[in-house]
Amino acid sequence: MFKINRDLWIKNKYKALSIVASVGLLMLAFRKRKINPFESTYRRVAQEIQQKVLTAKYVIQTELKLSNEDKTLILNSSIPQIHNFYESKKFTCLDVLLTFLEVSLEKGFKMGYLNDVNFEDAIQKARQLDQELKNKDYKIENMPLFGIPISVKDTFIVKGTYQAFGCGAYAQKRSEIDGIQGYLINKSGGIIFAKTNLPQFGFSYESWNYLFGRSTHPQDPSRTSGGSTGGEGGLLAVNGSPLGLGSDSGGSIRIPSHFCGLYGYKPSAKRLIMRGQAKGVPTWDGIRNIASCYGPMAKHFPNLVNMMQALTTNYEQAPINIKDINFVMKTFDEKECYNNNKKYKIGVLRKINLLLPCKANQRALDIAVEKLRAQGHTVIEFDIDQSIYENVFQHVYDVILGDGKMKGTYELYKGEPWISHFDNFKKATQSCRLWKEIYQKWLKLQDRKRELMIWKAGDHGLSYYENLQITTRLTASQIQMIQIWHDLQLDAVISPVTAGVAVKHNTAQHCFSGICYTFFWNMIDFSCGSVPITTVQEDEQYYNEESLFGAKDIEYKVLEETMKHSAGLPVGIQVISKPLEDEVCLNIMRQCGQ
């Protein structure tokens, strides 16, 4: 057996250590560096946008002559109020557009809200609408978005813009046409002027990516404005836009609205045509287990109704290449959204055991209950078997991680690095089989049930038969929930939007169960909306709720950190109605938020 001479080792140990260190440094120096192939794309896109910004700033400087008082009046007005300004000739469409544009340029890029922009086309359309207004016989009453500047999430197909999903690989060619949403907004007189930020492919409830950066909270830069429609939420909150359009597969409209103090509405998936967005996943049209939809976000409730009118009107006149031949548009009755005579029976879902809501969210529910009862509605407790929520939320992970080792996601990124929000999913899906079995047993021993749900879903790729089983079980859950509502004679349910308030940056990936309150209703395709109710009070800046679903794990700790120094942050509630009963949901949202 080889023996080292002790005296020789003592004499030369520093020399030996220096040689080992030198070899290690050489290995690091020559190790193949992982290069982001889209660095040049990021620079090119930034230069393109900067040129558009300079053009817009010049128009603002030369043509926006309003006083600060008039600008403030415009920024704080709802769509009906802005239409009154047009009819009375107080302001022009260009005045309104440039007023919002000025705020967008001041705050939108600095706070990470804006992605691509459509300023030149927007300014041209505003001037065109002003010319039409000069015609004495011109009526705007049948154009619900006449002269209204509108921002939309990055995913929507808008002529002259990228649909990049926050990824360099998809910022290569600008769209040559409008998708169905762009067409309907334009037909209703709307002016799309900007695209807003999101996480890579919308796979998080914090909005950041390497192409456009990170969206910060309007009140606290250490927190997120939400996701995946987080850029939209932030821009609306700082008055950079009066009306936005987002999409929602698990809370992507409602969560930013809750975090930023907005109204946000997700119709049931069969109410609006699902075409018109770029496909973040090549198999998007085949996804049936997550009922994704798009909908409006705004500070003022009437703006939501006007957008719903626009999205359900003029569909039959749209070009055939942007329509869905299997879709039949249901008429939207905006008057029902303002019906004060109809009295509803409403359930209160106070908690889902996966992760209990913070004190501020509980108080927001109490405020909403008091408002609804004061307006003559019947409000009861909605306390049912918690296993339905747990089973459905397990299917969320099953569907997200169902392709096995996330190979479909790897294909999407085309070599671009992933944001860190996928780390937990990558570990669960790409670890070796033996380690998965050992780690799952350890999680069971530690009573870490929430984390175990991820690792169970990441076991293997789902077979065709297993996918059919999930679809069957989700359909059964929807039928079960509708039956429960029928037996209780419920028109709607109110609940928290998330377990907490706006989370700190880089923590959303560690608190996925916190959005079980939104994701559940997507999986069974109910209509839902978020309503701003209150703000966090000084004595609510803590989280010590009893853990009813496993140990106090990292998700619990994220909420503890979230609630520290949270006084003044917005708090909302969620209103839920049965599939296709959108007018009912919106009417109750209005009355909760009054």
Side-chain angles (χ1 to χ4, degrees), residues 565-585:
H565 311 295
S566 61
L569 291 180
V571 180
I573 65 156
Q574 181 176 213
V575 178
I576 307 114
S577 66
K578 287 177 283 190
L580 299 176
E581 295 190 0
D582 301 273
E583 292 87 345
V584 171
C585 190

Side-chain angles (χ1 to χ4, degrees), residues 284-404:
W284 181 256
D285 288 338
I287 295 176
R288 292 291 180 268
N289 289 330
I290 298 179
S292 178
C293 196
Y294 54 89
M297 301 166 64
K299 271 190 172 181
H300 303 280
F301 173 81
N303 297 12
L304 271 61
V305 177
N306 282 50
M307 177 64 90
M308 287 298 295
Q309 286 180 267
L311 296 174
T312 52
T313 309
N314 298 311
Y315 176 72
E316 296 304 323
Q317 291 77 43
I320 190 67
N321 63 315
I322 62 173
K323 293 168 69 173
D324 182 347
I325 59 172
N326 297 312
F327 179 78
V328 178
M329 182 67 74
K330 181 185 174 187
T331 303
F332 180 77
D333 186 357
E334 68 276 8
K335 292 179 182 178
E336 279 301 305
C337 301
Y338 298 99
N339 186 347
N340 290 323
N341 296 320
K342 196 163 186 178
K343 303 305 173 187
Y344 299 106
K345 187 175 183 182
I346 301 163
V348 184
L349 170 61
R350 296 192 179 274
K351 66 182 181 182
I352 293 179
N353 288 350
L354 279 164
L355 206 56
L356 301 185
C358 65
K359 287 286 187 291
N361 289 358
Q362 295 174 39
R363 181 172 58 83
L365 276 180
D366 292 336
I367 293 172
V369 167
E370 187 177 335
K371 285 184 179 181
L372 292 168
R373 283 179 173 156
Q375 295 174 79
H377 303 293
T378 301
V379 183
I380 66 170
E381 296 300 313
F382 185 68
D383 188 12
I384 64 172
D385 185 357
Q386 288 280 327
S387 64
I388 186 172
Y389 305 116
E390 295 159 19
N391 293 337
V392 168
F393 202 66
Q394 179 64 64
H395 292 326
V396 171
Y397 293 116
D398 294 336
V399 172
I400 291 174
L401 306 178
D403 64 349

Side-chain angles (χ1 to χ4, degrees), residues 17 23 41 68 114 118 131 164 196 203 244 260 308 325 343 353 428 471 502 504 518 542:
L17 288 171
V23 171
T41 299
N68 289 335
L114 289 179
N118 196 31
Q131 287 298 317
T196 51
F203 290 164
C260 296
M308 287 298 295
I325 59 172
K343 303 305 173 187
N353 288 350
T471 304
K504 300 288 184 69
T518 55
Y542 65 93

Side-chain angles (χ1 to χ4, degrees), residues 26 42 66 87 112 118 159 203 230 418 423 548 572 588:
L26 283 170
Y42 304 158
L66 298 180
E87 291 175 342
N118 196 31
K159 185 178 180 180
F203 290 164
W418 294 15
D423 289 350
L548 299 178
I588 295 172

Side-chain angles (χ1 to χ4, degrees), residues 257-273:
S257 298
H258 168 57
F259 285 0
C260 296
L262 306 169
Y263 289 93
Y265 184 61
K266 180 208 78 71
S268 49
K270 297 178 180 63
R271 185 63 186 261
L272 300 175
I273 178 174

